[in-house]
Amino acid sequence: MVKVGSKQFAESLLLAELMAQTLESQPGIQVERWLSLGGTSACYAALQRGEIDVYPEYTGTLAVQLLQLEGRISDPLETYCRVQAQLQPEGLVLLDPFGFTN
């Protein structure tokens, strides 16, 4: 069972649903939806506690709001790499980007 979470706004809900349907299209994978959990902090805490397995998040939001990385990072790949490095000790992994930026 893969538990997919989301924040409370339309884009997060839509992306979480796309993630859930993509997972469900794979043989043998069942999905439980945990949608509209709250904001960034609520979703991240649920992820850390193991209540959800995945949720859509902006790399920049992780960098600034949760990880409080110093310095302005304008390159998306650099942001992704720095955030990934910070999450690794927690046993968390960033999935590949969706392919667009906000």
Side-chain angles (χ1 to χ4, degrees), residues 6 9 12 25 36 38-39 42 46 50 56 62 73 76 78 80 84-85 91 94 102:
S6 81
F9 60 94
S12 183
S25 73
S36 295
L62 286 171
I73 309 169
E78 182 183 348
Y80 177 88
Q84 181 71 290
L94 287 179
N102 65 344

Side-chain angles (χ1 to χ4, degrees), residues 4-98:
V4 177
S6 81
K7 296 182 190 181
Q8 295 175 312
F9 60 94
E11 185 175 328
S12 183
L13 289 162
L14 178 65
L15 292 173
E17 183 60 31
L18 288 171
M19 293 169 85
Q21 288 185 25
T22 299
L23 288 164
E24 287 173 330
S25 73
Q26 303 302 308
I29 296 181
Q30 295 181 330
V31 173
E32 186 175 312
R33 289 162 175 79
W34 287 51
L35 306 178
S36 295
L37 291 174
T40 298
S41 297
C43 287
Y44 190 72
L47 187 68
Q48 289 177 307
R49 290 189 302 265
E51 294 171 352
I52 61 173
D53 299 305
V54 64
Y55 80 99
E57 183 60 88
Y58 299 108
T59 310
T61 300
L62 286 171
V64 175
Q65 185 176 341
L66 293 176
L67 303 175
Q68 300 175 344
L69 296 180
E70 294 183 18
R72 178 158 165 69
I73 309 169
S74 59
D75 179 71
L77 181 57
E78 182 183 348
T79 304
Y80 177 88
C81 291
R82 286 185 63 188
V83 169
Q84 181 71 290
Q86 291 290 314
L87 294 177
Q88 223 167 12
E90 290 188 59
L92 301 176
V93 177
L94 287 179
L95 300 175
D96 290 340
F98 286 109

